[in-house]
Amino acid sequence: MTTAGASAHVIVTRPARDAQRWVQQLQQNGFSAEAFPLIEIAPADDPADVQALARAWQRLSDYAAYLFVSGNAVTYFFKGKEALDQQLWAQAAINSIADKSPGLRCMAPGPGTVAALRAVGVPAGQIDAPAADAQQFDSEALWDTVGRRDWRGRRVLIVRGASAASDAGAAAPSAGRDWIAQQWRAAGAQVDFVGVYQRRAPALTQAQAERARAAGADGSVWLFSSSEAVANLASLPSLAGTDWSGARAVATHPRIVDAVRAAGWGVVVASRPALQDISATLRSIESLYP
């Protein structure tokens, strides 16, 4: 069943698993949509990262909070863990409470990460995240929720991914993580990091490159939820020289809007990152930018 006004074809650029979920949700809302992942996700394979992850599991109760930057951070942190490890996680929470701390907290920048934490068995009462009606789901919104707590002498572990790219554009997604780490340090906390997965640009087939060029000129609307996806698209040799001035996009954060515009896109519209808001923005594009 097609919803009135939902005629834009949507190109979803999130990593493959997330992209497919968003495609299904958009289709349920009446849109034609396809997945075009611009970030590949793989387990961290650097020996230092692997060892750091093992140490984190051995020292769970040393930390007052774990910030998982994405659903992938949750997936790869808990990947392969058996019931014993789940029990260790629960015991660490008990130990931290007995130590007169607020209890081991799991922190998430948005609802997708919250859902991933719930899926691996973390109780809802142990999770902190921005309010459901927050304007953005990001580090700043999370800090609005947790920043007033007493963090003096506490330790925080940020569970994240690492990018294979080194250019400034690809580094932009870490800006929020660095910002919240600075807030914690200023509040008296010790902040550690562990990388549990890696992000990298995809290698497009000739057919995929042709599809991307066509979608930049046929009225499709690209959905960007990461500045790194924009940087990856711009860096792909198979798309070098592509004119994006006729392309349309929805971006889910002001920093991403800036990145898409800098890449030369003709129409870029900001949207709050919730599905209902993205759907409304997509419909508005059809009337504002036919």
Side-chain angles (χ1 to χ4, degrees):
M1 179 177 180
T2 301
T3 303
S7 58
H9 182 75
V10 187
I11 309 294
V12 183
T13 63
R14 298 173 70 95
R17 184 175 61 181
D18 293 337
Q20 194 54 52
R21 184 175 70 250
W22 273 90
V23 165
Q24 292 172 355
Q25 292 174 332
L26 287 166
Q27 289 174 342
Q28 290 168 2
N29 276 262
F31 293 94
S32 169
E34 67 179 288
F36 198 92
L38 287 173
I39 301 175
E40 289 186 351
I41 302 295
D45 57 7
D46 186 290
D49 288 332
V50 174
Q51 292 173 8
L53 177 57
R55 285 196 302 271
W57 274 96
Q58 293 166 0
R59 301 164 57 188
L60 289 176
S61 58
D62 288 356
Y63 292 96
Y66 280 64
L67 167 58
F68 294 88
V69 305
S70 66
N72 285 311
V74 176
T75 297
Y76 286 100
F77 184 85
F78 285 92
K79 191 175 181 63
K81 299 301 177 185
E82 303 297 336
L84 175 62
D85 291 310
Q86 299 290 340
Q87 292 170 11
L88 287 172
W89 183 262
Q91 186 60 49
I94 293 170
N95 291 346
S96 61
I97 293 171
D99 192 36
K100 299 183 180 180
S101 75
L104 178 64
R105 307 300 299 174
C106 294
M107 302 194 174
T113 309
V114 171
L117 286 166
R118 297 290 291 119
V120 297
V122 177
Q126 202 177 332
I127 302 172
D128 295 305
D133 61 353
Q135 185 61 33
Q136 286 293 334
F137 299 129
D138 58 13
S139 296
E140 289 89 341
L142 176 60
W143 189 250
D144 285 343
T145 300
V146 305
R148 294 181 182 87
R149 297 178 188 171
D150 184 3
W151 291 104
R152 290 172 297 179
R154 307 293 185 196
R155 296 184 67 182
V156 177
L157 184 69
I158 297 180
V159 184
R160 63 183 182 177
S163 174
S166 59
D167 60 277
S174 69
R177 324 310 182 210
D178 292 341
W179 180 88
I180 199 169
Q182 292 170 5
Q183 307 312 304
W184 262 313
R185 289 178 181 130
Q190 176 181 329
V191 182
D192 300 325
F193 295 88
V194 60
V196 297
Y197 66 97
Q198 54 183 315
R199 303 180 303 268
R200 57 197 180 204
L204 300 187
T205 65
Q206 181 177 348
Q208 289 173 319
E210 291 174 355
R211 177 70 193 107
R213 283 190 287 269
D218 65 5
S220 295
V221 180
W222 293 66
L223 176 57
F224 289 105
S225 57
S226 166
S227 298
E228 187 168 8
V230 183
N232 287 346
L233 183 67
S235 69
L236 291 169
S238 57
L239 293 177
T242 300
D243 180 5
W244 299 108
S245 61
R248 305 189 296 176
V250 169
T252 60
H253 194 282
R255 286 191 291 264
I256 306 172
V257 170
D258 291 343
V260 180
R261 286 177 176 159
W265 292 64
V267 173
V268 188
V269 180
S271 173
R272 184 172 174 271
L275 176 64
Q276 63 183 14
D277 297 282
I278 291 172
S279 297
T281 303
L282 287 167
R283 293 186 182 104
S284 72
I285 282 182
E286 290 299 282
S287 59
L288 295 174
Y289 304 99

